[in-house]
Amino acid sequence: MSMTLAERTAHKRNLVRIRLARFGRKNQPVFNIVVMKAKKAQQKLPLEVIGTYNAVPLPQPLHDKSPPVKDISLDFHRAKYWLGQGAEPTEKVAWLFKKAGILPSFWPATAKLTQQVPSPVVEDVKEVQETPVEPVRPRNDKKYR
């Protein structure tokens, strides 16, 4: 079975990528996880910022022997939305998404990153519905009735 021309050129048509945009100071990088057009430069204005990734581990006490923690904040709903729209994550972003449990572990393995993610680090995300609150409290004074 041969592939059609559309199937062979599908990777070229992917116009949107989810990638890291570097910010921060010298030797202290902080990355925004951004959705951008694939051909745009890294420091240009993105379509949307869906999270941040601090690549420098947070300092820990000397007696703490646990592995260092890197800070990641991510909007799960928007990340899933953009993946559903066909946005292609870069290798590092795909690795972060696997750690967060957004992408499955069988997502295409990358050649450069050798770390395997056996199971998601984040437990099941629970959505909480807030109870609606009246914007203005009614006053009980008689002169305002």
Side-chain angles (χ1 to χ4, degrees):
M1 219 164 103
S2 66
M3 294 173 55
T4 64
L5 179 64
E7 291 172 340
R8 283 183 288 177
T9 59
H11 69 281
K12 294 180 183 177
R13 289 188 314 234
N14 192 0
L15 301 175
V16 180
R17 293 196 127 217
I18 302 174
R19 62 186 184 192
L20 299 176
R22 188 183 194 280
F23 292 96
R25 290 185 254 169
K26 185 177 177 181
N27 298 325
Q28 294 179 346
V30 176
F31 297 94
N32 276 351
I33 303 170
V34 296
V35 179
M36 295 183 77
K37 293 193 179 245
K39 301 288 183 185
K40 244 185 183 183
Q42 184 180 11
Q43 295 301 324
K44 295 292 181 181
L45 191 65
L47 296 174
E48 184 176 1
V49 177
I50 59 173
T52 59
Y53 169 57
N54 188 354
V56 179
L58 299 173
Q60 293 180 324
L62 293 175
H63 61 81
D64 191 3
K65 300 297 181 197
S66 63
V69 177
K70 297 181 180 182
D71 184 36
I72 300 172
S73 64
L74 181 65
D75 187 350
F76 278 69
H77 295 292
R78 296 305 293 171
K80 287 181 181 180
Y81 167 79
W82 282 109
L83 288 171
Q85 293 297 315
E88 182 181 335
T90 58
E91 292 179 357
K92 188 66 175 179
V93 172
W95 180 77
L96 289 171
F97 283 3
K98 283 182 190 178
K99 289 281 256 190
I102 294 176
L103 288 179
S105 61
F106 59 82
W107 188 264
T110 57
K112 292 181 183 175
L113 299 174
T114 58
Q115 297 178 348
Q116 297 297 325
V117 182
S119 63
V121 177
V122 179
E123 287 80 27
D124 189 27
V125 178
K126 297 177 183 172
E127 294 185 29
V128 178
Q129 187 80 20
E130 292 185 10
T131 57
V133 179
E134 292 183 28
V136 179
R137 285 191 325 219
R139 294 183 70 145
N140 294 331
D141 296 344
K142 290 183 180 179
K143 69 178 185 178
Y144 291 108
R145 287 190 184 182

